[in-house]
C-alpha cells in the first residue's frame, strides 16, 4: 500500500494541504502570477457577504479558503484570484478564466460535478463560492491502498458521468486528470476545476442565454492528411518542468493532454476522453501509457499512437484493455463516439458473468476465490485444493515488500534498526504462516472434509480477510518510515490481533449481520479499512492524522446509516481523544459508544469502550471509584465471551493503575499479576507489552517497600525490552527510570540521578517532550537532586514536571499536588517555612477534591504543616495539630512508614513543648513498631529516629527553678519570597 500524496488545493478538504504540482501543469502565464505575490485574506475578512475562516490551499487557479455564508448559515469554499498590481492586464485573463469556471459549473446540475453557488468580484479580485466538501483526490484515493478492478471501474465511471454531463451542457473540460476528481467522504465522485473549460466547438447552444467565449490567444495548427494532428517542435523541454505554455497558447497538463491539444488545434469532447483514458490506464496498470521525460518525446509518442506494452501480470481483462486503448487513439475519429459510450462500456462487464465478491461483516470475502478455485481443482486428478493461501499473502508480504521495508527501516541508521527489522520480519512471517494454515483449514473443512457449512466458511473467510486488512493498514503506516515507526514497529506487530477467533464458530456466528444492500456493504468495508488505517497511524504516533481519519470516518458512517460501523468509528474517535490528552471529551465519546453499542448488541465495541473508560475516568481523570465501576461493566461484557483474551489483560492492567493511583497497592499488585499472567499465556513472556506491565508491577511493589521485588520486576522488564527491541531503544527507558526510583528510595541518590538522566532524552525522543512520562522523570530527577542537597536544581525539575502535568492533566490534578508538595519539602530544607506552608495548603486543597481526609497524601501534607509550625517556634500549635491528626487516622488504612513518621514527629514536638521524657520515648517506641512492620521501606525513617534519639539522649533541656522543663526557643526561619 502506498501513502497518499499531499492534499489537493480544492474546496473539499478542510485539513488543507499544498497546491497542485505546478511543475506538472502547463498553464497561461497570467495564472502563475498568483503564486508570485497574492493578497492575503486573514480569518474574519469579509468577501462580499462571506466571512473567511482559514486558508485551505493554493493552486494555479486561485487560493481556496474555508468560509461561512451567514445568509444561508452554511460553510462554503471560496476560491479567490487577485492578480499583481503591475500585471492587471495579464491578470484579467486569469480572472476571465476563473469567471468562466464558475459560469461553466453553474450551468451544470449533476451529482458528479462540484456545485457552484455564487461568483463575483471583490475589489480587483474575483471569487467563486462553492460547496465545501471533505474528501481526497482520485490520485490520493488510488495511492491510499491497492484497489480492485471493480473499485477502479466504478469510480472512473462516476467521474466519466460528470464529464458526460459537462459535454451534454456543451462544455469541455480541457484539463481532466486525477487531481481534478474528488472522491468525497460520502462516496460521491465529483469532477472539479473547470477553470480551463471551453465551449465545445461541435455543440450547438440553445436556450441558455449564455456563451463561453474562445480565448483569443489560442492558436491552431493544421492536421496532416491522415487526420493526425501535426505538432510544432518543442525541443528538449522537460515534461514535468513546464509551468508555462509554449508561446502562451497551449493550456492543460502535458501528461494527460490529447494530441490535438498539444498541437493547439480545436479540442472537442474527444479530447477529454483521451485525458480520461490516460488516467484510467495509469490506475489499471500502474504505469504511464506514454513513458517520456521530455515534452518532445511525449507528444511524438501520442502522435504515433505508441502506447506502452500492457504488463503481462496486470490481471486486467482483454475487453477492458481494448476499451482504454480505443480512448487513447491518436486520431479523435478513432476514439469512442462519446464519453457516454465509453462509460457504458466501462460499466458493462463483457465477460460471461461478472464475479461477485461477497462483503460480509468488515471485509471483501475470499469466499468467491475459494469456491471458484476449489471447484475447478476438484475436477482434476492433479488438484491440490485449498493450497492457494500464499497467493493472497503475496499482495502484501512478498519478497519485494520485505526488501522495501527492510531497506526503509535499516536506512534510518538508528542503533536498533537492524534488530527492529529482524523482529518485525519474524513476527510477520509467523503471523502470515499461521494465516495460511488457518485459511487452508477453513477451506478444507468445507470443501474436502465436509464438516463445515458454506455459511461458516463465509464467516471464517471474512475474519481472515479482516486480519489481512489489519496487517495491510500496519504496513501502510510503516511506508513513511521515520524514527517513530522504527521505535514502535516491534510493539505494533507483536500486538497484531490473534487469528484464533477465525476458528471460533460460535463467536463468528454471534457477530452482527452486514448491511443487506451490496453497495452499502462495500462502503462499510471501505470505511472499516479507514478505521484500521487510523489505528495504525495512531500506533506510529501520527496522532493528528489518526484523529482526523477517525473523525472523518465517523462523519461518513453517520451518512451510511449502518449503526455497527458508527459505534466502531465513535470508539476510534474516543481513543484518539484520549491519546491527544483531551480526557473530558474522550470520556463523553466513550460513554456514548458504550450506550449505543449496547443498544444494538455490539458487545465487543461496548467492552472495548469500557476498558478505555477505566483508564480515562479512573486513571487520567483520577475519579477512582467511578473508574472501578467501569471495570465491573467492562468485565461483565468481556466475560460473555467463551475465551479470555488480551482485552481482559488490558482491563486488569488498567484497573491495577487505578488502585495504584488510589494508593491501595496490595490490590494493584493483584491486578497487575493477573494481567501479566494472562497476556504472557497468550502472546508469550518475551513481549514489549508484558515488559511494560512488569514495570507497573514493580511500581506497586515499590510503593509497598518491597525494593528487591521491585528491582527484580524492573530488571526483568529491561531484559525483555532489550531482547525484543534492541540495545539503545528508547522504550527501555521505562525500566531504566524505574530502577532509578528504587535507588532514590534507598538513598542511592547519585546512582538514581544517573538512571534518570539516562532515561529523560530517551522518553523525549520516544514520546515527545510533553508526555506524562517526561513530566514524571523531571520530578524523579528533582527528588534525586534534593537527596543530594542541590536544592535550586531540584526545585527547577519539580517546576518543569508541574508545568507539564498542568498542561496535560489540568491545574487541579493530583499529580500537580504532588509537585507542589515536593517543592514544599525543598522549601522546608531551605528554611523557607512560610512558603512551604502555602505550597502544602494548596496541595491539600487539590488532593481534597479527589481523596478522603485519611488518604496518605493528605495526612503526609498535614504532618508537614505541623512540622513547619514546630520549626517556626509554635510547638504548642504543632502539638495540637499532630494529636488531632493521629486521632483522626487511628482507624484508617494508613501506610506504616507514614505512621512511623507521625509518631516520630509527635515525639520531637513533645520534647519541644517540654513534656516528660517518658511520653517522648513512648512515641518513639510506637514509631519503631511501625518501622518494623514496614520492612525495608522503613530503613530511612529508622535512621532518622536513631539519629534524633542519640542527639537527645541526655535530658539536658533547660528547666525553671521548680525543675519544670522549659519549651525550646523558636528557631530563626530563613524565609524568602518565591
Amino acid at each position: 500500500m502506498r501513502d497518499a500524496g499531499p492534499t489537493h488545493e480544492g474546496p473539499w478538504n478542510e485539513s488543507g494541504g499544498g497546491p497542485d504540482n505546478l511543475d506538472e501543469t502547463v498553464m497561461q502565464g497570467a495564472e502563475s502570477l498568483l503564486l508570485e505575490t497574492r493578497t492575503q485574506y486573514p480569518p474574519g475578512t469579509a468577501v462580499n457577504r462571506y466571512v473567511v475562516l482559514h486558508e485551505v490551499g493554493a493552486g494555479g487557479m486561485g487560493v481556496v479558503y474555508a468560509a461561512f455564508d451567514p445568509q444561508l448559515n452554511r460553510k462554503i469554499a471560496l476560491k479567490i484570484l487577485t492578480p499583481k498590481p503591475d500585471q492587471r492586464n495579464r491578470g484579467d485573463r486569469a480572472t476571465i478564466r476563473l469567471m468562466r469556471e464558475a459560469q461553466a459549473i453553474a450551468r451544470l446540475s449533476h451529482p458528479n460535478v462540484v456545485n457552484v453557488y455564487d461568483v463575483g468580484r471583490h475589489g480587483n479580485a474575483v471569487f467563486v463560492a462553492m460547496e465545501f466538501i471533505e474528501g481526497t483526490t482520485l490520485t490520493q484515493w488510488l495511492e491510499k491502498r491497492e484497489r480492485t478492478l471493480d473499485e477502479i471501474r466504478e469510480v472512473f465511471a462516476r467521474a466519466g458521468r460528470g464529464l458526460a454531463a459537462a459535454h451534454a451542457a456543451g462544455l469541455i473540460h480541457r484539463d481532466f486528470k486525477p487531481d481534478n476528481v474528488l472522491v468525497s467522504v460520502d462516496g460521491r465522485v465529483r469532477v472539479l476545476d473547470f477553470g480551463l473549460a471551453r465551449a465545445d466547438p461541435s455543440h450547438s447552444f440553445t436556450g441558455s442565454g449564455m456563451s463561453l467565449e474562445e480565448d483569443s490567444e489560442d492558436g491552431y495548427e493544421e492536421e496532416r492528411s491522415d487526420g493526425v494532428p501535426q505538432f510544432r517542435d518543442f525541443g528538449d523541454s522537460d515534461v514535468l518542468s513546464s509551468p508555462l505554455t509554449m508561446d502562451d497558447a497551449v493550456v492543460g497538463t502535458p501528461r494527460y493532454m490529447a494530441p490535438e491539444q498539444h498541437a493547439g488545434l480545436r479540442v472537442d469532447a474527444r479530447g477529454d476522453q483521451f485525458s480520461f483514458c490516460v488516467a484510467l490506464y495509469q490506475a489499471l496498470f500502474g504505469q504511464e501509457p506514454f513513458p517520456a521525460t521530455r515534452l518532445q518525446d511525449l507528444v511524438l509518442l501520442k502522435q504515433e499512437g505508441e502506447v506502452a506494452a500492457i504488463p503481462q501480470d496486470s490481471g486486467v481483462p482483454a475487453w477492458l484493455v481494448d476499451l482504454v486503448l480505443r480512448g487513447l487513439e491518436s486520431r479523435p475519429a478513432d476514439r469512442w463516439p462519446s464519453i457516454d459510450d465509453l462509460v457504458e462500456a466501462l460499466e458493462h462487464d463483457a465477460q460471461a458473468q461478472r464475479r461477485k465478491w461477497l462483503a460480509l461483516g468488515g471485509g471483501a470475502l475470499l469466499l468467491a476465490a475459494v469456491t471458484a478455485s476449489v471447484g475447478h481443482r476438484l475436477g482434476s486428478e492433479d488438484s491440490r485444493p485449498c493450497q492457494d493461501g500464499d497467493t493472497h499473502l503475496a499482495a502484501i508480504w512478498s519478497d519485494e515488500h520485505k526488501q522495501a521495508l527492510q531497506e526503509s527501516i535499516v536506512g534510518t541508521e538508528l542503533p536498533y534498526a537492524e534488530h527492529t527489522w529482524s523482529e518485525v520480519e519474524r513476527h510477520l512471517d509467523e503471523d502470515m504462516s499461521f494465516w495460511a494454515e488457518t485459511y487452508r483449514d477453513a477451506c478444507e473443512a468445507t470443501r474436502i472434509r465436509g464438516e463445515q457449512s458454506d455459511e461458516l466458511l463465509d464467516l471464517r473467510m471474512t475474519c481472515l480477510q479482516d486480519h489481512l486488512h489489519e496487517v495491510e493498514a500496519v504496513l501502510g503506516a510503516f511506508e513513511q518510515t521515520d524514527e517513530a515507526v522504527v521505535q514502535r514497529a516491534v510493539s505494533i506487530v507483536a500486538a497484531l490481533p490473534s487469528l484464533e477467533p477465525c476458528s471460533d464458530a460460535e463467536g463468528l456466528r454471534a457477530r452482527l449481520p452486514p448491511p443487506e444492500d451490496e453497495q452499502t456493504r462495500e462502503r462499510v468495508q471501505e470505511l472499516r479499512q479507514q478505521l484500521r488505517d487510523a489505528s495504525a497511524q495512531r500506533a506510529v504516533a501520527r496522532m493528528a492524522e489518526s484523529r482526523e481519519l477517525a473523525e472523518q470516518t465517523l462523519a461518513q458512517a453517520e451518512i451510511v446509516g449502518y449503526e455497527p460501523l458508527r459505534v466502531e468509528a465513535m470508539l476510534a474517535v474516543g481513543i484518539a481523544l484520549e491519546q491527544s490528552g483531551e480526557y473530558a471529551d474522550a470520556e463523553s465519546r466513550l460513554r456514548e459508544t458504550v450506550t449505543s453499542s449496547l443498544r444494538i448488541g455490539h458487545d465487543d465495541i461496548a467492552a472495548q469502550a469500557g476498558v478505555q473508560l477505566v483508564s480515562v475516568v479512573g486513571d487520567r481523570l483520577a475519579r477512582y471509584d467511578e473508574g472501578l465501576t467501569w471495570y465491573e461493566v467492562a468485565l461483565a461484557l468481556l466475560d460473555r465471551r467463551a475465551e479470555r483474551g488480551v482485552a481482559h489483560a488490558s482491563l486488569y492492567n488498567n484497573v491495577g493503575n487505578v488502585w495504584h493511583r488510589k494508593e491501595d497497592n496490595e490490590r494493584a499488585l493483584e491486578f497487575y499479576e493477573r494481567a501479566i499472567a494472562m497476556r504472557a499465556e497468550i502472546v508469550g513472556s518475551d513481549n514489549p507489552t508484558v515488559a511494560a506491565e512488569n514495570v507497573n508491577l514493580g511500581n506497586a511493589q515499590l510503593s509497598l517497600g518491597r525494593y528487591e521485588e521491585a528491582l527484580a520486576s524492573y530488571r526483568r522488564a529491561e531484559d525483555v525490552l532489550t531482547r525484543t527491541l534492541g540495545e539503545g531503544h528508547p522504550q527501555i527507558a521505562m525500566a531504566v527510570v524505574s530502577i532509578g526510583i528504587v535507588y532514590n528510595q534507598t538513598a542511592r541518590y547519585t546512582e538514581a540521578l544517573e538512571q534518570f538522566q539516562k532515561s529523560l532524552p530517551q522518553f523525549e525522543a520516544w514520546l515527545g517532550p510533553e508526555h506524562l512520562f517526561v513530566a514524571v522523570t523531571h520530578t524523579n530527577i528533582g527528588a534525586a537532586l534534593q537527596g543530594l542537597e542541590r536544592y535550586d536544581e531540584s526545585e527547577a525539575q519539580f517546576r518543569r514536571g508541574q508545568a507539564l502535568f498542568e498542561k496535560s492533566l489540568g491545574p487541579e490534578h493530583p499529580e500537580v499536588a504532588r509537585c507542589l508538595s515536593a517543592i514544599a519539602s525543598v522549601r522546608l530544607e531551605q528554611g523557607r517555612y512560610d512558603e512551604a506552608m502555602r505550597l502544602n495548603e494548596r496541595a491539600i486543597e487539590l488532593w481534597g477534591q479527589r481523596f478522603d481526609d485519611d488518604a496518605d497524601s493528605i495526612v503526609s501534607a498535614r504532618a508537614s504543616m505541623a512540622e513547619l509550625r514546630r520549626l517556626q517556634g509554635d510547638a504548642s500549635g504543632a502539638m495540637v495539630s499532630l494529636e488531632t491528626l493521629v486521632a483522626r487516622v487511628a482507624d484508617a488504612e494508613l501506610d506504616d512508614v507514614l505512621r512511623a513518621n507521625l509518631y516520630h514527629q509527635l515525639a520531637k514536638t513533645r520534647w519541644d513543648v517540654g513534656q516528660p521524657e517518658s511520653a517522648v520515648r513512648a512515641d518513639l517506641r510506637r514509631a519503631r513498631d511501625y518501622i518494623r512492620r514496614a520492612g525495608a521501606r522503613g530503613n530511612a525513617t529508622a535512621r532518622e529516629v536513631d539519629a534524633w534519639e542519640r542527639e537527645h539522649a541526655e535530658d539536658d533541656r533547660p528547666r525553671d527553678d521548680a525543675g519544670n522543663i522549659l519549651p525550646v526557643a523558636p528557631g530563626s526561619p530563613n524565609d524568602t519570597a518565591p
Side-chain angles (χ1 to χ4, degrees):
M1 188 177 79
R2 294 164 292 176
D3 280 329
T7 304
H8 191 277
E9 60 91 11
W12 41 87
N13 193 313
E14 187 167 7
S15 64
D20 286 343
N21 185 350
L22 298 181
D23 286 344
E24 277 193 19
T25 303
V26 176
M27 59 186 180
Q28 291 293 349
E31 274 107 69
S32 67
L33 302 177
L34 173 66
L35 301 178
E36 299 173 25
T37 303
R38 57 184 173 86
T39 303
Q40 300 292 325
Y41 293 86
T45 302
V47 177
N48 197 282
R49 74 168 188 259
Y50 308 108
V51 180
V52 172
L53 300 176
H54 58 82
E55 182 178 324
V56 173
M61 289 305 298
V63 182
V64 179
Y65 297 89
F68 180 71
D69 181 351
Q71 182 173 317
L72 298 179
N73 191 29
R74 64 183 173 188
K75 187 176 184 179
I76 65 160
L78 203 62
K79 180 180 282 191
I80 305 176
L81 175 64
T82 306
K84 291 173 61 176
D86 58 344
Q87 303 274 5
R88 290 279 157 75
N89 290 333
R90 295 180 64 198
D92 281 344
R93 291 189 297 179
T95 297
I96 291 170
R97 280 198 194 284
L98 193 58
M99 294 286 285
R100 174 188 293 145
E101 173 183 9
Q103 293 168 346
I105 305 174
R107 296 178 62 178
L108 303 178
S109 178
H110 193 273
N112 298 124
V113 178
V114 68
N115 289 325
V116 165
Y117 305 133
D118 190 12
V119 62
R121 290 185 178 272
H122 179 72
N124 294 317
V126 62
F127 69 83
V128 179
M130 297 175 284
E131 62 179 322
F132 192 101
I133 310 165
E134 292 186 7
T136 59
T137 65
L138 178 53
T139 300
Q140 295 165 341
W141 183 85
L142 289 166
E143 290 177 340
K144 186 176 179 61
R145 61 180 175 86
E146 295 296 327
R147 301 291 180 176
T148 66
L149 283 178
D150 286 349
E151 288 176 317
I152 292 171
R153 286 170 53 202
E154 181 178 1
V155 167
F156 270 85
R158 292 177 184 175
R161 292 298 182 196
L163 275 180
H167 296 167
L171 303 174
I172 53 173
H173 192 289
R174 295 204 305 166
D175 194 24
F176 181 89
K177 57 185 176 182
D179 279 345
N180 284 342
V181 177
L182 170 69
V183 183
S184 67
V185 295
D186 61 1
R188 286 174 57 190
V189 178
R190 296 171 175 86
V191 181
L192 312 159
D193 282 359
F194 280 76
L196 303 183
R198 159 76 56 83
D200 186 344
S202 65
H203 191 281
S204 175
F205 294 96
T206 59
S208 67
M210 175 187 253
S211 66
L212 268 71
E213 56 187 348
E214 297 289 345
D215 283 349
S216 60
E217 72 272 16
D218 282 2
Y220 303 99
E221 298 289 336
E222 296 297 327
E223 292 185 358
R224 295 191 325 206
S225 59
D226 58 2
V228 176
Q230 178 67 46
F231 295 92
R232 59 171 65 96
D233 183 7
F234 291 106
D236 293 331
S237 58
D238 188 330
V239 171
L240 301 183
S241 59
S242 305
L244 298 178
T245 64
M246 304 304 108
D247 299 329
D248 273 355
V250 180
V251 290
T253 304
R255 183 175 294 169
Y256 300 96
M257 286 164 55
E260 60 270 25
Q261 196 168 358
H262 281 293
L265 296 175
R266 292 182 181 272
V267 179
D268 61 17
R270 292 170 297 182
D272 283 349
Q273 181 188 140
F274 185 95
S275 303
F276 180 91
C277 285
V278 171
L280 180 56
Y281 181 103
Q282 292 170 333
L284 291 172
F285 307 116
Q287 64 182 27
E288 294 296 324
F290 304 103
T293 57
R294 298 188 311 158
L295 188 57
Q296 180 183 34
D297 296 334
L298 175 70
V299 295
L300 289 176
L301 286 174
K302 291 180 181 180
Q303 177 185 5
E304 301 300 329
E306 295 183 8
V307 181
I310 304 299
Q312 293 183 353
D313 60 350
S314 70
V316 178
W319 69 269
L320 187 51
V321 173
D322 292 341
L323 178 150
V324 177
L325 294 181
R326 181 174 178 180
L328 294 176
E329 288 286 351
S330 57
R331 288 165 43 94
D334 292 336
R335 298 173 201 155
W336 291 88
S338 70
I339 195 74
D340 279 307
D341 294 312
L342 187 156
V343 171
E344 286 180 11
L346 185 62
E347 291 178 332
H348 173 68
D349 192 331
Q351 295 175 342
Q353 174 63 44
R354 177 183 177 187
R355 186 171 61 184
K356 296 290 185 180
W357 289 82
L358 300 179
L360 298 176
L365 272 181
L366 298 169
L367 177 59
V370 172
T371 304
S373 61
V374 171
H376 171 74
R377 291 175 182 177
L378 286 176
S380 167
E381 293 182 1
D382 299 329
S383 65
R384 296 183 61 215
C386 303
Q387 302 298 314
D388 61 339
D390 289 342
T391 62
H392 300 290
L393 303 180
I396 62 173
W397 193 237
S398 64
D399 289 340
E400 291 77 9
H401 290 104
K402 288 185 182 182
Q403 182 178 354
L405 184 56
Q406 178 182 11
E407 290 174 354
S408 61
I409 289 177
V410 174
T412 62
E413 299 183 352
L414 293 167
Y416 46 89
E418 290 277 4
H419 185 93
T420 296
W421 163 245
S422 176
E423 286 293 295
V424 167
E425 182 183 34
R426 180 178 68 82
H427 278 287
L428 287 176
D429 280 347
E430 290 176 357
D431 184 79
M432 295 293 95
S433 176
F434 189 36
W435 189 95
E437 292 175 11
T438 307
Y439 173 91
R440 183 171 59 253
D441 176 73
C443 174
E444 291 178 349
T446 297
R447 300 303 173 208
I448 295 179
R449 300 194 298 272
E451 61 191 26
Q452 175 181 273
S453 66
D454 285 340
E455 173 257 351
L456 184 53
L457 176 60
D458 291 354
L459 294 174
R460 293 185 69 180
M461 289 299 172
T462 298
C463 181
L464 288 168
Q465 186 68 24
D466 287 347
H467 187 85
L468 283 191
H469 285 327
E470 293 279 359
V471 177
E472 181 186 12
V474 166
L475 293 176
F478 285 179
E479 285 187 356
Q480 291 182 350
T481 306
D482 53 19
E483 187 171 347
V485 168
V486 183
Q487 287 170 359
R488 293 161 175 79
V490 175
S491 297
I492 293 170
V493 297
L496 282 170
S498 169
L499 280 161
E500 291 184 1
C502 295
S503 301
D504 176 13
E506 183 178 349
L508 291 172
R509 289 192 176 102
R511 294 185 175 185
L512 296 176
E516 294 182 1
D517 176 65
E518 181 178 356
Q519 185 174 1
T520 305
R521 287 201 303 269
E522 292 172 354
R523 184 63 177 148
V524 168
Q525 171 194 340
E526 185 176 275
L527 293 176
R528 278 179 166 151
Q529 188 61 26
Q530 284 186 196
L531 292 178
R532 296 183 187 102
D533 291 340
S535 176
Q537 293 298 323
R538 183 175 66 250
V540 295
R542 297 179 190 133
M543 300 305 180
E545 294 92 330
S546 173
R547 177 173 173 178
E548 180 181 2
L549 192 54
E551 290 175 340
Q552 286 180 356
T553 307
L554 177 57
Q556 297 166 52
E558 299 277 4
I559 296 170
V560 170
Y562 180 58
E563 186 65 4
L565 173 66
R566 191 182 76 87
V567 297
E568 290 161 18
M570 215 182 320
L571 173 64
V573 171
I575 295 173
L577 289 167
E578 179 187 8
Q579 294 293 316
S580 301
E582 298 178 33
Y583 301 123
D585 290 341
E587 178 192 358
S588 176
R589 186 62 77 179
L590 291 169
R591 281 177 176 273
E592 185 182 357
T593 302
V594 172
T595 55
S596 297
S597 298
L598 290 175
R599 189 173 295 116
I600 63 171
H602 207 342
D603 287 356
D604 279 354
I605 296 301
Q608 290 179 51
V611 171
Q612 293 300 129
L613 280 165
V614 173
S615 175
V616 172
V617 176
D619 185 0
R620 302 303 190 189
L621 294 174
R623 302 202 315 260
Y624 306 120
D625 292 339
E626 197 175 335
L628 294 174
T629 300
W630 279 114
Y631 158 66
E632 299 292 343
V633 173
L635 183 63
L637 289 167
L638 289 175
D639 282 348
R640 292 189 188 184
R641 300 177 175 181
E643 86 288 347
R644 299 175 74 78
V646 293
H648 278 88
S650 297
L651 177 61
Y652 292 145
N653 180 73
N654 289 354
V655 176
N657 289 341
V658 175
W659 283 117
H660 179 59
R661 302 289 188 207
K662 195 174 169 64
E663 300 180 355
D664 188 338
N665 287 288
E666 289 288 357
R667 292 188 181 179
L669 206 62
E670 172 192 346
F671 282 98
Y672 287 144
E673 288 171 343
R674 289 164 69 180
I676 291 168
M678 182 169 290
R679 196 179 301 275
E681 182 179 352
I682 298 168
V683 301
S685 56
D686 279 355
N687 183 281
T689 304
V690 174
E693 290 169 348
N694 265 291
V695 171
N696 290 342
L697 175 68
N699 294 341
Q701 293 165 331
L702 180 67
S703 298
L704 293 167
R706 303 178 187 177
Y707 296 121
E708 292 305 318
E709 293 178 37
L711 204 55
S713 295
Y714 294 146
R715 285 176 174 158
R716 186 162 55 247
E718 183 180 24
D719 178 60
V720 171
L721 291 171
T722 302
R723 281 189 285 107
T724 57
L725 304 181
E727 289 283 353
H729 194 286
Q731 195 171 338
I732 302 171
M734 284 197 308
V736 172
V737 75
S738 300
I739 293 170
I741 293 172
V742 177
Y743 291 154
N744 227 14
Q745 294 200 9
T746 53
R748 296 161 66 177
Y749 299 120
T750 300
E751 293 169 274
L753 186 60
E754 290 174 356
Q755 295 287 116
F756 298 146
Q757 290 176 332
K758 177 182 176 182
S759 64
L760 180 61
Q762 291 179 312
F763 276 139
E764 290 176 329
W766 173 31
L767 302 167
E770 297 183 349
H771 195 273
L772 294 180
F773 284 6
V774 174
V776 171
T777 305
H778 279 299
T779 62
N780 287 330
I781 292 173
L785 291 167
Q786 183 178 1
L788 294 170
E789 300 182 1
R790 293 160 60 178
Y791 297 125
D792 289 341
E793 296 172 75
S794 172
E795 180 191 348
Q797 292 294 326
F798 286 136
R799 294 287 187 191
R800 289 180 189 174
Q802 177 188 349
L804 291 176
F805 283 131
E806 288 182 347
K807 184 172 184 179
S808 296
L809 303 175
E812 299 188 346
H813 194 275
E815 293 299 333
V816 175
R818 293 184 200 282
C819 292
L820 295 173
S821 180
I823 298 168
S825 69
V826 173
R827 290 286 181 263
L828 188 152
E829 299 278 4
Q830 294 173 319
R832 297 162 64 176
Y833 302 141
D834 289 342
E835 189 180 347
M837 187 74 78
R838 290 193 297 271
L839 288 165
N840 269 318
E841 287 173 346
R842 177 57 178 160
I844 290 172
E845 179 185 350
L846 295 182
W847 274 320
Q849 298 174 11
R850 311 293 177 91
F851 299 146
D852 295 332
D853 281 346
D854 59 1
D856 287 358
S857 299
I858 293 179
V859 172
S860 177
R862 292 193 186 281
S864 295
M865 293 177 70
E867 175 72 356
L868 286 165
R869 290 191 182 93
R870 185 183 73 84
L871 292 171
Q872 289 175 310
D874 184 11
S876 296
M879 190 74 188
V880 172
S881 296
L882 283 171
E883 287 180 332
T884 302
L885 185 59
V886 169
R888 180 186 299 165
V889 300
D891 298 325
E893 296 180 4
L894 210 62
D895 178 74
D896 289 329
V897 174
L898 179 54
R899 283 198 189 276
N901 280 318
L902 280 176
Y903 281 111
H904 180 212
Q905 203 170 319
L906 197 56
K908 292 188 291 183
T909 307
R910 292 189 194 282
W911 178 275
D912 284 359
V913 299
Q915 290 193 0
E917 184 176 352
S918 59
V920 174
R921 293 194 179 281
D923 283 336
L924 291 177
R925 283 195 299 273
R926 293 189 185 95
R928 286 197 171 89
D929 287 341
Y930 284 108
I931 287 171
R932 281 191 292 273
R933 288 174 55 174
R937 290 178 58 247
N939 290 345
T941 301
R943 288 192 293 270
E944 292 177 9
V945 170
D946 291 342
W948 187 88
E949 190 170 21
R950 282 194 302 272
E951 184 179 347
H952 298 80
E954 298 297 332
D955 192 357
D956 55 356
R957 287 175 290 178
R959 298 173 182 267
D960 59 18
D961 294 340
N964 298 313
I965 300 172
L966 296 173
V968 175
S972 344
N974 176 27
D975 222 353
T976 59

